Amino acid sequence: MRKLATLFTDSYNEFKYVRTITLTGMLGAVSVVLGYLTLELGETLKIGFSTIANQIVYYLFGPVVGGAFGGALDILKYLIKPTGPYFPGWTFGAMLAGVIYGILYYKKTITFRRVLAAELLVSVICNMLLGTYWLTLMYGNAFLQMFWLRVQKNLIMWPINSLIFYSIAKNMEASGIFRAMKGSRKNTTGL
């Protein structure tokens, strides 16, 4: 429990650095742009790439920054390109996903098992359970009917999303990009 509290405290302290705010802003912009590069493989199956930039934020800055980033980005994406009515449940789900990814990635070595576990946890909690519940509240559809469709989609996408992020993250780690992004922590004011 103490490790978890330290993880949250360290992530909260990331807000002290101008580099954190700058990088999250830039990666947020990348995420918005990547959101337009979605491959639609059918009516309900889409492969999107915007989560790659999001997961880099969660890995670099942890659950507190990740939760704030997820919520802010959800609202920003809605303002840029609304797809239906705004519903705060989706923002909560995005924040929760940021916290979950942040807990599992922050200050830890990226392994394929860890990425698979994080993807599965977010898929089950945020996408299958909460996402289906939000759709039920918004549109009045039957929960179980929608749930099984969402389970199928998420189980198909789970290894694909995991492999995409793992491959990119390992290459960025090996090339020193993550180290460069984190940079020095000496200057907290940016002045």
Side-chain angles (χ1 to χ4, degrees), residues 121-154:
L121 206 55
V122 168
S123 290
V124 169
I125 294 170
C126 299
N127 300 344
M128 293 181 207
L129 294 173
L130 287 177
T132 306
Y133 182 61
W134 304 146
L135 289 171
T136 302
L137 289 178
M138 290 175 70
Y139 301 113
N141 298 342
F143 181 87
L144 285 178
Q145 179 185 7
M146 289 178 48
F147 177 73
W148 293 117
L149 290 172
R150 293 178 64 79
V151 166
Q152 291 170 13
K153 176 196 174 224
N154 279 279

PDB file of all heavy atoms in Angstrom, residues 121-154:
ATOM      1  N   LEU A 121      -6.983  -5.143 -18.320  1.00  0.00           N
ATOM      2  CA  LEU A 121      -7.657  -4.492 -17.194  1.00  0.00           C
ATOM      3  C   LEU A 121      -8.484  -3.288 -17.664  1.00  0.00           C
ATOM      4  O   LEU A 121      -9.650  -3.145 -17.292  1.00  0.00           O
ATOM      5  CB  LEU A 121      -6.609  -4.056 -16.175  1.00  0.00           C
ATOM      6  CG  LEU A 121      -7.028  -3.928 -14.733  1.00  0.00           C
ATOM      7  CD1 LEU A 121      -7.663  -5.215 -14.221  1.00  0.00           C
ATOM      8  CD2 LEU A 121      -5.829  -3.566 -13.872  1.00  0.00           C
ATOM      9  N   VAL A 122      -7.899  -2.453 -18.497  1.00  0.00           N
ATOM     10  CA  VAL A 122      -8.630  -1.285 -19.016  1.00  0.00           C
ATOM     11  C   VAL A 122      -9.779  -1.732 -19.908  1.00  0.00           C
ATOM     12  O   VAL A 122     -10.881  -1.176 -19.843  1.00  0.00           O
ATOM     13  CB  VAL A 122      -7.668  -0.327 -19.755  1.00  0.00           C
ATOM     14  CG1 VAL A 122      -8.438   0.728 -20.534  1.00  0.00           C
ATOM     15  CG2 VAL A 122      -6.722   0.328 -18.767  1.00  0.00           C
ATOM     16  N   SER A 123      -9.552  -2.754 -20.734  1.00  0.00           N
ATOM     17  CA  SER A 123     -10.621  -3.253 -21.606  1.00  0.00           C
ATOM     18  C   SER A 123     -11.808  -3.757 -20.805  1.00  0.00           C
ATOM     19  O   SER A 123     -12.958  -3.429 -21.113  1.00  0.00           O
ATOM     20  CB  SER A 123     -10.104  -4.369 -22.514  1.00  0.00           C
ATOM     21  OG  SER A 123      -9.236  -3.855 -23.479  1.00  0.00           O
ATOM     22  N   VAL A 124     -11.536  -4.532 -19.771  1.00  0.00           N
ATOM     23  CA  VAL A 124     -12.628  -5.106 -18.975  1.00  0.00           C
ATOM     24  C   VAL A 124     -13.346  -4.026 -18.173  1.00  0.00           C
ATOM     25  O   VAL A 124     -14.573  -3.894 -18.244  1.00  0.00           O
ATOM     26  CB  VAL A 124     -12.107  -6.230 -18.045  1.00  0.00           C
ATOM     27  CG1 VAL A 124     -13.171  -6.648 -17.040  1.00  0.00           C
ATOM     28  CG2 VAL A 124     -11.656  -7.425 -18.867  1.00  0.00           C
ATOM     29  N   ILE A 125     -12.583  -3.230 -17.416  1.00  0.00           N
ATOM     30  CA  ILE A 125     -13.213  -2.256 -16.512  1.00  0.00           C
ATOM     31  C   ILE A 125     -13.812  -1.069 -17.277  1.00  0.00           C
ATOM     32  O   ILE A 125     -14.987  -0.741 -17.108  1.00  0.00           O
ATOM     33  CB  ILE A 125     -12.202  -1.764 -15.455  1.00  0.00           C
ATOM     34  CG1 ILE A 125     -11.799  -2.914 -14.537  1.00  0.00           C
ATOM     35  CG2 ILE A 125     -12.785  -0.617 -14.638  1.00  0.00           C
ATOM     36  CD1 ILE A 125     -10.638  -2.597 -13.614  1.00  0.00           C
ATOM     37  N   CYS A 126     -12.989  -0.424 -18.093  1.00  0.00           N
ATOM     38  CA  CYS A 126     -13.414   0.834 -18.731  1.00  0.00           C
ATOM     39  C   CYS A 126     -14.258   0.629 -19.982  1.00  0.00           C
ATOM     40  O   CYS A 126     -15.220   1.350 -20.197  1.00  0.00           O
ATOM     41  CB  CYS A 126     -12.198   1.685 -19.061  1.00  0.00           C
ATOM     42  SG  CYS A 126     -11.240   2.140 -17.607  1.00  0.00           S
ATOM     43  N   ASN A 127     -13.884  -0.343 -20.799  1.00  0.00           N
ATOM     44  CA  ASN A 127     -14.580  -0.510 -22.073  1.00  0.00           C
ATOM     45  C   ASN A 127     -15.780  -1.444 -21.970  1.00  0.00           C
ATOM     46  O   ASN A 127     -16.890  -1.087 -22.357  1.00  0.00           O
ATOM     47  CB  ASN A 127     -13.625  -1.027 -23.147  1.00  0.00           C
ATOM     48  CG  ASN A 127     -12.471  -0.085 -23.387  1.00  0.00           C
ATOM     49  OD1 ASN A 127     -12.503   1.073 -23.002  1.00  0.00           O
ATOM     50  ND2 ASN A 127     -11.428  -0.584 -24.007  1.00  0.00           N
ATOM     51  N   MET A 128     -15.545  -2.658 -21.469  1.00  0.00           N
ATOM     52  CA  MET A 128     -16.634  -3.642 -21.447  1.00  0.00           C
ATOM     53  C   MET A 128     -17.691  -3.310 -20.399  1.00  0.00           C
ATOM     54  O   MET A 128     -18.882  -3.297 -20.712  1.00  0.00           O
ATOM     55  CB  MET A 128     -16.070  -5.033 -21.180  1.00  0.00           C
ATOM     56  CG  MET A 128     -15.201  -5.581 -22.276  1.00  0.00           C
ATOM     57  SD  MET A 128     -14.633  -7.240 -21.818  1.00  0.00           S
ATOM     58  CE  MET A 128     -13.110  -7.335 -22.727  1.00  0.00           C
ATOM     59  N   LEU A 129     -17.281  -3.047 -19.172  1.00  0.00           N
ATOM     60  CA  LEU A 129     -18.260  -2.820 -18.099  1.00  0.00           C
ATOM     61  C   LEU A 129     -18.788  -1.381 -18.097  1.00  0.00           C
ATOM     62  O   LEU A 129     -19.977  -1.153 -18.304  1.00  0.00           O
ATOM     63  CB  LEU A 129     -17.647  -3.184 -16.747  1.00  0.00           C
ATOM     64  CG  LEU A 129     -17.310  -4.666 -16.555  1.00  0.00           C
ATOM     65  CD1 LEU A 129     -16.558  -4.892 -15.261  1.00  0.00           C
ATOM     66  CD2 LEU A 129     -18.576  -5.514 -16.600  1.00  0.00           C
ATOM     67  N   LEU A 130     -17.895  -0.418 -17.836  1.00  0.00           N
ATOM     68  CA  LEU A 130     -18.358   0.972 -17.756  1.00  0.00           C
ATOM     69  C   LEU A 130     -18.875   1.494 -19.089  1.00  0.00           C
ATOM     70  O   LEU A 130     -19.921   2.145 -19.138  1.00  0.00           O
ATOM     71  CB  LEU A 130     -17.231   1.876 -17.241  1.00  0.00           C
ATOM     72  CG  LEU A 130     -16.890   1.762 -15.760  1.00  0.00           C
ATOM     73  CD1 LEU A 130     -15.714   2.658 -15.416  1.00  0.00           C
ATOM     74  CD2 LEU A 130     -18.094   2.107 -14.900  1.00  0.00           C
ATOM     75  N   GLY A 131     -18.151   1.219 -20.179  1.00  0.00           N
ATOM     76  CA  GLY A 131     -18.575   1.699 -21.494  1.00  0.00           C
ATOM     77  C   GLY A 131     -19.954   1.191 -21.874  1.00  0.00           C
ATOM     78  O   GLY A 131     -20.787   1.937 -22.391  1.00  0.00           O
ATOM     79  N   THR A 132     -20.192  -0.079 -21.615  1.00  0.00           N
ATOM     80  CA  THR A 132     -21.516  -0.645 -21.912  1.00  0.00           C
ATOM     81  C   THR A 132     -22.580  -0.001 -21.026  1.00  0.00           C
ATOM     82  O   THR A 132     -23.682   0.307 -21.491  1.00  0.00           O
ATOM     83  CB  THR A 132     -21.510  -2.172 -21.712  1.00  0.00           C
ATOM     84  OG1 THR A 132     -20.449  -2.728 -22.496  1.00  0.00           O
ATOM     85  CG2 THR A 132     -22.827  -2.787 -22.128  1.00  0.00           C
ATOM     86  N   TYR A 133     -22.241   0.214 -19.761  1.00  0.00           N
ATOM     87  CA  TYR A 133     -23.184   0.857 -18.843  1.00  0.00           C
ATOM     88  C   TYR A 133     -23.510   2.276 -19.305  1.00  0.00           C
ATOM     89  O   TYR A 133     -24.668   2.706 -19.291  1.00  0.00           O
ATOM     90  CB  TYR A 133     -22.628   0.856 -17.424  1.00  0.00           C
ATOM     91  CG  TYR A 133     -23.566   1.452 -16.417  1.00  0.00           C
ATOM     92  CD1 TYR A 133     -24.823   0.892 -16.183  1.00  0.00           C
ATOM     93  CD2 TYR A 133     -23.220   2.587 -15.709  1.00  0.00           C
ATOM     94  CE1 TYR A 133     -25.697   1.452 -15.264  1.00  0.00           C
ATOM     95  CE2 TYR A 133     -24.079   3.153 -14.789  1.00  0.00           C
ATOM     96  CZ  TYR A 133     -25.316   2.576 -14.570  1.00  0.00           C
ATOM     97  OH  TYR A 133     -26.184   3.131 -13.666  1.00  0.00           O
ATOM     98  N   TRP A 134     -22.480   3.025 -19.751  1.00  0.00           N
ATOM     99  CA  TRP A 134     -22.728   4.393 -20.234  1.00  0.00           C
ATOM    100  C   TRP A 134     -23.654   4.375 -21.442  1.00  0.00           C
ATOM    101  O   TRP A 134     -24.561   5.194 -21.548  1.00  0.00           O
ATOM    102  CB  TRP A 134     -21.430   5.101 -20.611  1.00  0.00           C
ATOM    103  CG  TRP A 134     -20.354   5.199 -19.571  1.00  0.00           C
ATOM    104  CD1 TRP A 134     -19.010   5.164 -19.805  1.00  0.00           C
ATOM    105  CD2 TRP A 134     -20.484   5.361 -18.154  1.00  0.00           C
ATOM    106  NE1 TRP A 134     -18.312   5.279 -18.633  1.00  0.00           N
ATOM    107  CE2 TRP A 134     -19.196   5.400 -17.602  1.00  0.00           C
ATOM    108  CE3 TRP A 134     -21.576   5.458 -17.282  1.00  0.00           C
ATOM    109  CZ2 TRP A 134     -18.948   5.545 -16.247  1.00  0.00           C
ATOM    110  CZ3 TRP A 134     -21.336   5.593 -15.915  1.00  0.00           C
ATOM    111  CH2 TRP A 134     -20.046   5.642 -15.415  1.00  0.00           C
ATOM    112  N   LEU A 135     -23.427   3.450 -22.357  1.00  0.00           N
ATOM    113  CA  LEU A 135     -24.295   3.354 -23.544  1.00  0.00           C
ATOM    114  C   LEU A 135     -25.722   2.997 -23.157  1.00  0.00           C
ATOM    115  O   LEU A 135     -26.686   3.495 -23.749  1.00  0.00           O
ATOM    116  CB  LEU A 135     -23.731   2.320 -24.527  1.00  0.00           C
ATOM    117  CG  LEU A 135     -22.452   2.741 -25.259  1.00  0.00           C
ATOM    118  CD1 LEU A 135     -21.868   1.562 -26.029  1.00  0.00           C
ATOM    119  CD2 LEU A 135     -22.724   3.918 -26.188  1.00  0.00           C
ATOM    120  N   THR A 136     -25.862   2.127 -22.159  1.00  0.00           N
ATOM    121  CA  THR A 136     -27.189   1.751 -21.676  1.00  0.00           C
ATOM    122  C   THR A 136     -27.904   2.977 -21.096  1.00  0.00           C
ATOM    123  O   THR A 136     -29.090   3.201 -21.367  1.00  0.00           O
ATOM    124  CB  THR A 136     -27.098   0.641 -20.612  1.00  0.00           C
ATOM    125  OG1 THR A 136     -26.438  -0.474 -21.185  1.00  0.00           O
ATOM    126  CG2 THR A 136     -28.460   0.213 -20.107  1.00  0.00           C
ATOM    127  N   LEU A 137     -27.182   3.775 -20.304  1.00  0.00           N
ATOM    128  CA  LEU A 137     -27.785   4.980 -19.732  1.00  0.00           C
ATOM    129  C   LEU A 137     -28.137   6.003 -20.810  1.00  0.00           C
ATOM    130  O   LEU A 137     -29.177   6.651 -20.737  1.00  0.00           O
ATOM    131  CB  LEU A 137     -26.827   5.624 -18.727  1.00  0.00           C
ATOM    132  CG  LEU A 137     -26.600   4.899 -17.410  1.00  0.00           C
ATOM    133  CD1 LEU A 137     -25.590   5.665 -16.560  1.00  0.00           C
ATOM    134  CD2 LEU A 137     -27.903   4.736 -16.646  1.00  0.00           C
ATOM    135  N   MET A 138     -27.266   6.142 -21.793  1.00  0.00           N
ATOM    136  CA  MET A 138     -27.477   7.153 -22.824  1.00  0.00           C
ATOM    137  C   MET A 138     -28.596   6.792 -23.793  1.00  0.00           C
ATOM    138  O   MET A 138     -29.384   7.649 -24.182  1.00  0.00           O
ATOM    139  CB  MET A 138     -26.182   7.378 -23.617  1.00  0.00           C
ATOM    140  CG  MET A 138     -25.091   8.066 -22.828  1.00  0.00           C
ATOM    141  SD  MET A 138     -23.555   8.177 -23.761  1.00  0.00           S
ATOM    142  CE  MET A 138     -23.990   9.377 -25.010  1.00  0.00           C
ATOM    143  N   TYR A 139     -28.636   5.528 -24.212  1.00  0.00           N
ATOM    144  CA  TYR A 139     -29.539   5.147 -25.295  1.00  0.00           C
ATOM    145  C   TYR A 139     -30.613   4.142 -24.898  1.00  0.00           C
ATOM    146  O   TYR A 139     -31.456   3.789 -25.713  1.00  0.00           O
ATOM    147  CB  TYR A 139     -28.728   4.602 -26.484  1.00  0.00           C
ATOM    148  CG  TYR A 139     -27.745   5.619 -27.004  1.00  0.00           C
ATOM    149  CD1 TYR A 139     -26.382   5.413 -26.876  1.00  0.00           C
ATOM    150  CD2 TYR A 139     -28.181   6.795 -27.613  1.00  0.00           C
ATOM    151  CE1 TYR A 139     -25.468   6.359 -27.341  1.00  0.00           C
ATOM    152  CE2 TYR A 139     -27.285   7.739 -28.075  1.00  0.00           C
ATOM    153  CZ  TYR A 139     -25.929   7.515 -27.935  1.00  0.00           C
ATOM    154  OH  TYR A 139     -25.045   8.444 -28.397  1.00  0.00           O
ATOM    155  N   GLY A 140     -30.568   3.662 -23.672  1.00  0.00           N
ATOM    156  CA  GLY A 140     -31.594   2.740 -23.208  1.00  0.00           C
ATOM    157  C   GLY A 140     -31.518   1.339 -23.789  1.00  0.00           C
ATOM    158  O   GLY A 140     -32.482   0.588 -23.724  1.00  0.00           O
ATOM    159  N   ASN A 141     -30.393   0.977 -24.368  1.00  0.00           N
ATOM    160  CA  ASN A 141     -30.237  -0.372 -24.926  1.00  0.00           C
ATOM    161  C   ASN A 141     -30.069  -1.403 -23.815  1.00  0.00           C
ATOM    162  O   ASN A 141     -29.685  -1.070 -22.693  1.00  0.00           O
ATOM    163  CB  ASN A 141     -29.019  -0.429 -25.852  1.00  0.00           C
ATOM    164  CG  ASN A 141     -29.155   0.508 -27.033  1.00  0.00           C
ATOM    165  OD1 ASN A 141     -30.249   0.954 -27.364  1.00  0.00           O
ATOM    166  ND2 ASN A 141     -28.053   0.807 -27.667  1.00  0.00           N
ATOM    167  N   ALA A 142     -30.338  -2.654 -24.147  1.00  0.00           N
ATOM    168  CA  ALA A 142     -30.188  -3.736 -23.181  1.00  0.00           C
ATOM    169  C   ALA A 142     -28.706  -3.953 -22.885  1.00  0.00           C
ATOM    170  O   ALA A 142     -27.895  -4.119 -23.794  1.00  0.00           O
ATOM    171  CB  ALA A 142     -30.808  -5.014 -23.729  1.00  0.00           C
ATOM    172  N   PHE A 143     -28.351  -3.961 -21.603  1.00  0.00           N
ATOM    173  CA  PHE A 143     -26.956  -4.068 -21.180  1.00  0.00           C
ATOM    174  C   PHE A 143     -26.302  -5.343 -21.699  1.00  0.00           C
ATOM    175  O   PHE A 143     -25.241  -5.300 -22.311  1.00  0.00           O
ATOM    176  CB  PHE A 143     -26.852  -4.013 -19.646  1.00  0.00           C
ATOM    177  CG  PHE A 143     -25.442  -4.093 -19.139  1.00  0.00           C
ATOM    178  CD1 PHE A 143     -24.685  -2.945 -19.010  1.00  0.00           C
ATOM    179  CD2 PHE A 143     -24.869  -5.308 -18.803  1.00  0.00           C
ATOM    180  CE1 PHE A 143     -23.374  -3.002 -18.548  1.00  0.00           C
ATOM    181  CE2 PHE A 143     -23.559  -5.382 -18.344  1.00  0.00           C
ATOM    182  CZ  PHE A 143     -22.811  -4.224 -18.221  1.00  0.00           C
ATOM    183  N   LEU A 144     -26.923  -6.494 -21.457  1.00  0.00           N
ATOM    184  CA  LEU A 144     -26.288  -7.763 -21.817  1.00  0.00           C
ATOM    185  C   LEU A 144     -26.102  -7.925 -23.320  1.00  0.00           C
ATOM    186  O   LEU A 144     -25.083  -8.459 -23.778  1.00  0.00           O
ATOM    187  CB  LEU A 144     -27.072  -8.945 -21.257  1.00  0.00           C
ATOM    188  CG  LEU A 144     -26.915  -9.161 -19.755  1.00  0.00           C
ATOM    189  CD1 LEU A 144     -27.776 -10.322 -19.282  1.00  0.00           C
ATOM    190  CD2 LEU A 144     -25.456  -9.399 -19.395  1.00  0.00           C
ATOM    191  N   GLN A 145     -27.049  -7.461 -24.094  1.00  0.00           N
ATOM    192  CA  GLN A 145     -26.929  -7.563 -25.542  1.00  0.00           C
ATOM    193  C   GLN A 145     -25.720  -6.761 -26.033  1.00  0.00           C
ATOM    194  O   GLN A 145     -24.904  -7.242 -26.811  1.00  0.00           O
ATOM    195  CB  GLN A 145     -28.205  -7.063 -26.213  1.00  0.00           C
ATOM    196  CG  GLN A 145     -28.144  -7.118 -27.726  1.00  0.00           C
ATOM    197  CD  GLN A 145     -29.386  -6.499 -28.358  1.00  0.00           C
ATOM    198  OE1 GLN A 145     -30.224  -5.924 -27.678  1.00  0.00           O
ATOM    199  NE2 GLN A 145     -29.494  -6.617 -29.664  1.00  0.00           N
ATOM    200  N   MET A 146     -25.589  -5.535 -25.557  1.00  0.00           N
ATOM    201  CA  MET A 146     -24.457  -4.695 -25.949  1.00  0.00           C
ATOM    202  C   MET A 146     -23.160  -5.201 -25.335  1.00  0.00           C
ATOM    203  O   MET A 146     -22.095  -5.120 -25.949  1.00  0.00           O
ATOM    204  CB  MET A 146     -24.709  -3.256 -25.516  1.00  0.00           C
ATOM    205  CG  MET A 146     -25.778  -2.592 -26.333  1.00  0.00           C
ATOM    206  SD  MET A 146     -26.125  -0.910 -25.813  1.00  0.00           S
ATOM    207  CE  MET A 146     -24.518  -0.204 -25.697  1.00  0.00           C
ATOM    208  N   PHE A 147     -23.248  -5.720 -24.118  1.00  0.00           N
ATOM    209  CA  PHE A 147     -22.055  -6.188 -23.416  1.00  0.00           C
ATOM    210  C   PHE A 147     -21.335  -7.266 -24.212  1.00  0.00           C
ATOM    211  O   PHE A 147     -20.118  -7.213 -24.382  1.00  0.00           O
ATOM    212  CB  PHE A 147     -22.436  -6.711 -22.023  1.00  0.00           C
ATOM    213  CG  PHE A 147     -21.286  -7.282 -21.248  1.00  0.00           C
ATOM    214  CD1 PHE A 147     -20.319  -6.445 -20.713  1.00  0.00           C
ATOM    215  CD2 PHE A 147     -21.174  -8.644 -21.066  1.00  0.00           C
ATOM    216  CE1 PHE A 147     -19.254  -6.966 -19.993  1.00  0.00           C
ATOM    217  CE2 PHE A 147     -20.117  -9.185 -20.346  1.00  0.00           C
ATOM    218  CZ  PHE A 147     -19.158  -8.340 -19.809  1.00  0.00           C
ATOM    219  N   TRP A 148     -22.053  -8.243 -24.729  1.00  0.00           N
ATOM    220  CA  TRP A 148     -21.409  -9.343 -25.451  1.00  0.00           C
ATOM    221  C   TRP A 148     -20.775  -8.879 -26.752  1.00  0.00           C
ATOM    222  O   TRP A 148     -19.709  -9.373 -27.136  1.00  0.00           O
ATOM    223  CB  TRP A 148     -22.388 -10.497 -25.675  1.00  0.00           C
ATOM    224  CG  TRP A 148     -22.741 -11.127 -24.365  1.00  0.00           C
ATOM    225  CD1 TRP A 148     -23.977 -11.169 -23.792  1.00  0.00           C
ATOM    226  CD2 TRP A 148     -21.851 -11.742 -23.430  1.00  0.00           C
ATOM    227  NE1 TRP A 148     -23.918 -11.767 -22.557  1.00  0.00           N
ATOM    228  CE2 TRP A 148     -22.609 -12.140 -22.308  1.00  0.00           C
ATOM    229  CE3 TRP A 148     -20.476 -11.982 -23.411  1.00  0.00           C
ATOM    230  CZ2 TRP A 148     -22.060 -12.763 -21.203  1.00  0.00           C
ATOM    231  CZ3 TRP A 148     -19.915 -12.613 -22.302  1.00  0.00           C
ATOM    232  CH2 TRP A 148     -20.701 -12.995 -21.225  1.00  0.00           C
ATOM    233  N   LEU A 149     -21.389  -7.907 -27.409  1.00  0.00           N
ATOM    234  CA  LEU A 149     -20.769  -7.339 -28.613  1.00  0.00           C
ATOM    235  C   LEU A 149     -19.468  -6.612 -28.259  1.00  0.00           C
ATOM    236  O   LEU A 149     -18.460  -6.738 -28.953  1.00  0.00           O
ATOM    237  CB  LEU A 149     -21.729  -6.372 -29.307  1.00  0.00           C
ATOM    238  CG  LEU A 149     -22.949  -6.984 -29.972  1.00  0.00           C
ATOM    239  CD1 LEU A 149     -23.902  -5.895 -30.448  1.00  0.00           C
ATOM    240  CD2 LEU A 149     -22.515  -7.862 -31.142  1.00  0.00           C
ATOM    241  N   ARG A 150     -19.501  -5.879 -27.156  1.00  0.00           N
ATOM    242  CA  ARG A 150     -18.309  -5.144 -26.728  1.00  0.00           C
ATOM    243  C   ARG A 150     -17.218  -6.088 -26.218  1.00  0.00           C
ATOM    244  O   ARG A 150     -16.032  -5.824 -26.403  1.00  0.00           O
ATOM    245  CB  ARG A 150     -18.691  -4.094 -25.691  1.00  0.00           C
ATOM    246  CG  ARG A 150     -19.562  -2.989 -26.318  1.00  0.00           C
ATOM    247  CD  ARG A 150     -20.007  -1.958 -25.320  1.00  0.00           C
ATOM    248  NE  ARG A 150     -18.921  -1.207 -24.734  1.00  0.00           N
ATOM    249  CZ  ARG A 150     -18.286  -0.195 -25.303  1.00  0.00           C
ATOM    250  NH1 ARG A 150     -18.632   0.186 -26.517  1.00  0.00           N
ATOM    251  NH2 ARG A 150     -17.315   0.440 -24.679  1.00  0.00           N
ATOM    252  N   VAL A 151     -17.607  -7.191 -25.613  1.00  0.00           N
ATOM    253  CA  VAL A 151     -16.624  -8.191 -25.169  1.00  0.00           C
ATOM    254  C   VAL A 151     -15.890  -8.750 -26.380  1.00  0.00           C
ATOM    255  O   VAL A 151     -14.657  -8.853 -26.393  1.00  0.00           O
ATOM    256  CB  VAL A 151     -17.297  -9.326 -24.365  1.00  0.00           C
ATOM    257  CG1 VAL A 151     -16.375 -10.530 -24.206  1.00  0.00           C
ATOM    258  CG2 VAL A 151     -17.742  -8.821 -22.999  1.00  0.00           C
ATOM    259  N   GLN A 152     -16.642  -9.122 -27.411  1.00  0.00           N
ATOM    260  CA  GLN A 152     -16.022  -9.671 -28.622  1.00  0.00           C
ATOM    261  C   GLN A 152     -15.035  -8.678 -29.237  1.00  0.00           C
ATOM    262  O   GLN A 152     -13.905  -9.028 -29.572  1.00  0.00           O
ATOM    263  CB  GLN A 152     -17.100 -10.042 -29.647  1.00  0.00           C
ATOM    264  CG  GLN A 152     -17.948 -11.218 -29.237  1.00  0.00           C
ATOM    265  CD  GLN A 152     -19.147 -11.398 -30.151  1.00  0.00           C
ATOM    266  OE1 GLN A 152     -19.221 -10.802 -31.221  1.00  0.00           O
ATOM    267  NE2 GLN A 152     -20.101 -12.217 -29.735  1.00  0.00           N
ATOM    268  N   LYS A 153     -15.476  -7.433 -29.394  1.00  0.00           N
ATOM    269  CA  LYS A 153     -14.622  -6.406 -29.991  1.00  0.00           C
ATOM    270  C   LYS A 153     -13.354  -6.213 -29.159  1.00  0.00           C
ATOM    271  O   LYS A 153     -12.246  -6.170 -29.691  1.00  0.00           O
ATOM    272  CB  LYS A 153     -15.376  -5.095 -30.090  1.00  0.00           C
ATOM    273  CG  LYS A 153     -14.507  -3.971 -30.607  1.00  0.00           C
ATOM    274  CD  LYS A 153     -15.119  -2.622 -30.336  1.00  0.00           C
ATOM    275  CE  LYS A 153     -14.139  -1.561 -30.753  1.00  0.00           C
ATOM    276  NZ  LYS A 153     -14.010  -0.491 -29.831  1.00  0.00           N
ATOM    277  N   ASN A 154     -13.503  -6.089 -27.846  1.00  0.00           N
ATOM    278  CA  ASN A 154     -12.348  -5.835 -26.982  1.00  0.00           C
ATOM    279  C   ASN A 154     -11.402  -7.020 -26.910  1.00  0.00           C
ATOM    280  O   ASN A 154     -10.192  -6.834 -26.800  1.00  0.00           O
ATOM    281  CB  ASN A 154     -12.806  -5.408 -25.584  1.00  0.00           C
ATOM    282  CG  ASN A 154     -13.179  -3.947 -25.550  1.00  0.00           C
ATOM    283  OD1 ASN A 154     -12.318  -3.091 -25.445  1.00  0.00           O
ATOM    284  ND2 ASN A 154     -14.468  -3.656 -25.683  1.00  0.00           N
TER     285      ASN A 154
END
